[in-house]
Amino acid sequence: MYEQYRVGGKLHKVIEGTKHIVKWKKALKSSTPHIVFQFLVVRPNEHQIEEVKQLAKELEVDEVALKTAQIYDYEQGSALIPTIEKYARYQQQADGSYQIKNHLLNHCWKMWHSCVITWDGLVVPCCFDKDAEHRLGDLSQTSFKTLWKAESYQNFRQVVLKSRSEIEMCKNCTEGTQVWA
């Protein structure tokens, strides 16, 4: 299932890399790094939760984190929405449609605490801007400090505070949603 979801990914590489980290952590008698297996729960893999926990135990990782998945176009349902309620960010309504479980509030801590820098140096507000639609600056042209305080960033923050529903990526945001199950 991993290789179907992570196109181009190889599970054996993840396991091999994990074994190397654990080996060196033991050799150095170190308590760090804290090794977390993050498992994104979707319908096709929800039956593997116990297998992942067992694999993590065998590999001697420190923690297994079960994460709910953000799904695009969830309104009419999706084959990815888990059947196990606690692993779904979305809830089916009486009419058969789905809605996100959280209430869309006009705030977002990420706007003041973090951002994403793309591979080519663009600054976008958060990880939900996967296609860099909300470009708030370019590090090849401007310093991060200047971008962070720039009018464009301040204006974007104000829109979030005024009406997050005006920003498409914010409509499917995890702010206020239980992400870790």
Side-chain angles (χ1 to χ4, degrees), residues 51-69:
E51 291 175 51
V52 167
K53 290 178 180 179
Q54 183 58 41
L55 176 60
K57 186 176 180 179
E58 290 169 13
L59 294 174
E60 300 180 69
V61 302
D62 299 305
E63 180 181 349
V64 174
L66 302 174
K67 189 173 184 183
T68 63

Side-chain angles (χ1 to χ4, degrees), residues 5-107:
Y5 186 78
R6 292 280 182 216
V7 177
K10 301 289 181 206
L11 182 59
H12 71 90
K13 287 291 211 180
V14 173
I15 292 171
E16 181 182 311
T18 302
K19 286 179 179 179
H20 285 299
I21 293 170
V22 170
K23 178 183 89 173
W24 282 105
K25 183 176 173 179
K26 284 180 175 183
L28 296 171
K29 296 180 173 62
S30 179
S31 62
T32 59
H34 183 79
I35 305 167
V36 180
F37 255 21
Q38 178 180 298
F39 186 74
L40 190 62
V41 181
V42 289
R43 187 178 306 166
N45 73 9
E46 66 186 349
H47 68 281
Q48 294 179 309
I49 293 171
E50 290 308 314
E51 291 175 51
V52 167
K53 290 178 180 179
Q54 183 58 41
L55 176 60
K57 186 176 180 179
E58 290 169 13
L59 294 174
E60 300 180 69
V61 302
D62 299 305
E63 180 181 349
V64 174
L66 302 174
K67 189 173 184 183
T68 63
Q70 176 200 20
I71 297 170
Y72 297 114
D73 301 322
Y74 60 86
E75 292 88 354
Q76 297 309 311
S78 168
L80 294 174
I81 296 175
T83 61
I84 304 170
E85 175 68 20
K86 77 178 194 174
Y87 299 120
R89 291 185 192 182
Y90 311 93
Q91 190 168 42
Q92 191 169 24
Q93 304 304 295
D95 66 1
S97 68
Y98 285 79
Q99 72 179 31
I100 196 165
K101 288 179 182 176
N102 73 322
H103 301 287
L104 194 62
L105 303 174
N106 293 324
H107 65 80

